[in-house]
């Protein structure tokens, strides 16, 4: 069978690598892919942008693609699944209506509150004056979010009233976020530890992926601006087996059930970004309608079962027959990003990956993200450029292996956080 992966990041490299190992698969296409996918065995890049939905559907039809897996949110929110389904093409992902769980913060917050699924208290606004008044009444810290997709930049954690007013004015009056912030959501600041809880869904049944934790801020010690993620580890140390069960019961199952009942059955990867409070209570910070990046990299290196079989079962509504198997090890992925990311950065720098582009040491893999291959030279082409991902017998072990792997990459214009994989707990949990 031929499989098409849509996207160009580290998550898509990890998906292509994992899918390529399936005994069900002969060939993997990645649209548009990166230098890493260009160099994988049985993987081929296709020069189609991930937001050119018609070209992707035409390609899938022409090539008789047996399964398409979509990496990023934009094509999902734009309706790629609806288009593929209308042409009888097999695709794993949520429809446009179901993708609103990520595509509209207002939709997802209203859904959560209406269905009594735990989340931060919020209100939505399109009027700046009313928004400012709400902030004055509720005080800071407070969180201000653009309603729509804003490439990971639409969330401002305001520590004082000036920052809050600036965010409101930037979004609603100066239109710095364009259409994404025609409306905003203002919500209570949640304290605790974050975890990424990602599951596969077939409309009704759920297959949990291994848990993971993302390191979102640009700087060591979790300071600086929010990014797409500077690294991740799996499993998430904060999620105990008891908490896992509670998350399924209190968050994941009701979400899947209510989405179906409300006429938006959800199928695809569902990513619940959670905040675990000091007392061990989980609340939803956000939903994403896709696998996380960089969470996919450490999670997929631990997956022993066949992802393609899971996706096909999900498409047929048979996910309850599947069980995912995981390497009983820890994994850590460290992102190497262009200096300046997540703000302005330079691209086009030459990169040398010593020996091979994907070298196996310590069970580690270097997944590419913002790279292109031109005349056999790898050049940087994005903010996040690589994710060195390694397994280990403990999280410390996996961390050391991942940092060791990074030494294979030579490029002047890259940086990484030095503390990925360290257990950083922001609160003293009083649960075990
Ligand atoms: P989001 O895109 O909604 O996940 O927000 C991006 C990041 O902002 C989250 O991963 C959190 O680190 C932080 N964040 C968002 N909402 C809240 C909140 N209500 N309380 C604390 N931190 C938040
Ligand atoms: N790493 C966070 C995300 O994928 O949104």
């Amino acid at each position: 069978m031929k499989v098409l992966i849509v996207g160009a990041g580290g998550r898509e490299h990890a998906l292509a690598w994992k899918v390529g190992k399936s005994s069900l698969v002969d060939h993997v296409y990645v649209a548009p892919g990166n230098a890493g996918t260009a160099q994988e065995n049985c993987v081929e890049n296709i020069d189609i942008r991930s937001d050119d939905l018609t070209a992707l559907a035409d390609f899938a039809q022409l090539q008789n693609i047996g399964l398409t897996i979509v990496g990023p949110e934009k094509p999902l929110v734009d309706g790629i699944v609806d288009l593929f389904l209308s042409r009888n093409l097999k695709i794993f992902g949520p429809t446009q209506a179901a993708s609103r769980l990520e595509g509209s913060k207002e939709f997802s917050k209203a859904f959560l509150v209406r269905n009594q699924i735990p989340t931060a208290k919020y209100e939505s606004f399109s009027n700046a004056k009313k928004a400012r008044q709400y902030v004055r009444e509720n005080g800071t810290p407070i969180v201000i979010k653009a309603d729509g997709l804003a490439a990971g930049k639409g969330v401002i954690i305001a520590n004082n009233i000036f920052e809050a007013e600036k965010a409101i004015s930037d979004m609603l009056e100066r239109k710095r976020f364009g259409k994404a912030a025609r409306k905003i959501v203002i919500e209570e600041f949640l304290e605790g530890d974050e975890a990424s809880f990602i599951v596969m869904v077939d409309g009704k049944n759920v297959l949990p992926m291994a848990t993971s934790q993302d390191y979102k801020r640009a700087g060591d010690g979790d300071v600086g601006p929010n990014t797409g993620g500077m690294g991740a580890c799996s499993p998430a140390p904060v999620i105990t087996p008891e908490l896992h069960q509670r998350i399924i019961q209190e968050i994941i199952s009701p979400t899947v059930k209510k989405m179906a009942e409300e006429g938006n059955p959800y199928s695809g990867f569902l990513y619940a970004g959670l905040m675990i409070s000091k007392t061990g209570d989980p609340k939803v910070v956000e939903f994403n309608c896709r696998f996380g990046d960089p969470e996919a990299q450490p999670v997929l290196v631990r997956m022993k079962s066949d992802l393609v079989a899971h996706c096909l079962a999900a498409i047929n509504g048979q996910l309850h027959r599947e069980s995912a198997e995981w390497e009983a090890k820890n994994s850590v992925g460290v992102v190497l990003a262009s200096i300046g990311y997540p703000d302005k950065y330079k691209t086009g720098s030459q990169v040398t990956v010593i020996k091979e582009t994907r070298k196996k040491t310590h069970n580690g893999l270097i997944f590419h993200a913002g790279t292109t291959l031109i005349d056999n030279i790898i050049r940087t082409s994005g903010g996040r450029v690589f994710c060195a991902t390694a397994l280990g017998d403990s999280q410390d072990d996996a961390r050391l292996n991942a940092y060791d792997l990074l030494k294979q990459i030579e490029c002047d214009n890259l940086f990484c956080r030095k503390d990925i994989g360290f257990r950083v707990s922001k609160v003293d949990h009083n649960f075990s």
Side-chain angles (χ1 to χ4, degrees):
M1 185 179 57
K2 297 186 215 171
V3 177
L4 171 64
I5 310 283
V6 177
R11 165 186 49 210
E12 288 75 23
H13 187 180
L15 284 167
W17 163 80
K18 178 65 188 162
V19 162
K21 284 162 51 123
S22 167
S23 58
L24 301 168
V25 174
D26 306 306
H27 200 71
V28 185
Y29 296 101
V30 190
N34 56 37
T37 54
Q39 293 171 322
E40 283 288 342
N41 281 338
C42 303
V43 179
E44 190 180 331
N45 285 353
I46 299 299
D47 190 16
I48 303 177
R49 286 166 48 133
S50 63
D51 58 2
D52 192 346
L53 308 192
T54 308
L56 291 167
D58 290 346
F59 177 80
Q61 222 156 4
L62 196 71
Q63 289 294 331
N64 203 14
I65 298 290
L67 169 69
T68 297
I69 304 176
V70 186
E73 61 279 13
K74 188 164 187 309
L76 292 164
V77 171
D78 288 347
I80 189 170
V81 170
D82 310 66
L83 176 65
F84 272 53
L85 294 181
S86 74
R87 297 198 195 178
N88 272 326
L89 294 164
K90 287 193 178 167
I91 185 163
F92 182 61
T95 59
Q96 186 166 37
S99 306
R100 282 179 297 168
L101 276 187
E102 175 166 4
S104 166
K105 301 254 186 223
E106 193 190 25
F107 174 87
S108 71
K109 293 297 291 189
F111 171 85
L112 288 163
V113 170
R114 172 164 82 236
N115 293 302
Q116 286 142 26
I117 300 167
T119 191
K121 183 182 129 201
Y122 86 106
E123 215 152 298
S124 59
F125 298 91
S126 48
N127 178 297
K129 205 169 145 198
K130 287 191 181 148
R132 280 193 277 266
Q133 193 183 337
Y134 181 82
V135 167
R136 271 184 236 119
E137 282 162 12
N138 284 274
T140 53
I142 201 159
V143 185
I144 300 172
K145 301 183 174 185
D147 173 56
L149 295 182
K153 298 199 172 159
V155 174
I156 308 289
I157 296 171
N159 289 309
N160 55 54
I161 211 88
F162 305 105
E163 285 174 11
E165 296 204 345
K166 180 174 182 310
I168 291 169
S169 152
D170 279 350
M171 289 189 190
L172 289 177
E173 290 170 338
R174 286 189 214 116
K175 312 258 186 271
R176 273 196 47 211
F177 296 78
K179 276 194 209 158
R182 275 192 296 210
K183 279 192 236 153
I184 62 172
V185 159
I186 304 188
E187 69 177 34
E188 170 198 3
F189 175 77
L190 297 175
E191 255 181 298
D193 281 335
E194 283 186 75
S196 306
F197 202 95
I198 300 164
V199 297
M200 292 176 77
V201 191
D202 69 0
K204 185 174 168 206
N205 306 292
V206 166
L207 183 67
M209 301 288 95
T211 60
S212 52
Q213 192 153 5
D214 186 13
Y215 292 71
K216 286 185 194 281
R217 302 294 189 99
D220 290 355
D222 248 0
V223 298
N226 255 326
T227 69
M230 294 301 293
C233 59
S234 176
V238 68
I239 302 202
T240 59
E242 297 73 30
L243 188 52
H244 196 281
Q245 214 173 353
R246 272 189 70 189
I247 292 165
I248 295 280
Q249 273 168 9
E250 294 173 23
I251 292 170
I252 302 294
S253 295
T255 298
V256 172
K257 184 162 175 270
K258 293 293 174 185
M259 283 296 279
E261 277 177 19
E262 293 185 2
N264 305 308
Y266 194 100
S267 160
F269 292 110
L270 174 65
Y271 168 145
L274 304 176
M275 191 69 83
I276 314 299
S277 73
K278 196 172 171 175
T279 48
D281 298 306
K283 282 190 178 169
V284 177
V285 173
E286 62 165 345
F287 280 125
N288 293 318
C289 58
R290 53 179 171 78
F291 221 123
D293 187 346
E295 289 94 324
Q297 293 85 314
V299 170
L300 290 173
V301 297
R302 290 186 57 215
M303 186 187 260
K304 291 203 290 188
S305 46
D306 186 342
L307 178 65
V308 175
H310 298 330
C311 290
L312 294 173
I315 287 172
N316 294 323
Q318 300 290 314
L319 212 43
H320 54 293
R321 296 180 192 272
E322 295 292 298
S323 68
E325 284 162 42
W326 305 97
E327 202 74 69
K329 288 184 181 259
N330 289 72
S331 58
V332 168
V334 180
V335 168
L336 259 186
S338 298
I339 290 173
Y341 173 79
D343 298 320
K344 277 201 185 119
Y345 55 82
K346 220 173 75 171
T347 58
S349 304
Q350 186 168 339
V351 185
T352 309
V353 183
I354 301 168
K355 293 186 194 137
E356 299 178 287
T357 45
R358 187 169 66 72
K359 181 162 166 57
K360 265 197 149 122
T361 48
H362 316 296
N363 292 322
L365 298 163
I366 294 172
F367 292 115
H368 288 229
T371 62
T372 47
L373 194 63
I374 304 164
D375 298 331
N376 266 328
I377 293 174
I378 300 170
R379 291 195 185 274
T380 63
S381 61
R384 292 184 294 173
V385 180
F386 294 100
C387 182
T389 311
L391 290 164
D393 292 329
S394 64
Q395 190 164 308
D396 276 347
D397 200 24
R399 172 175 56 80
L400 291 171
N401 289 342
Y403 278 102
D404 202 40
L405 201 57
L406 274 186
K407 293 184 195 145
Q408 288 178 245
I409 300 170
E410 290 178 348
C411 179
D412 289 341
N413 292 312
L414 303 179
F415 79 102
C416 66
R417 268 180 66 163
K418 303 286 186 287
D419 60 349
I420 304 299
F422 277 104
R423 287 185 184 214
V424 274
S425 191
K426 292 196 183 140
V427 291
D428 274 336
H429 288 285
N430 53 14
F431 67 104
S432 56

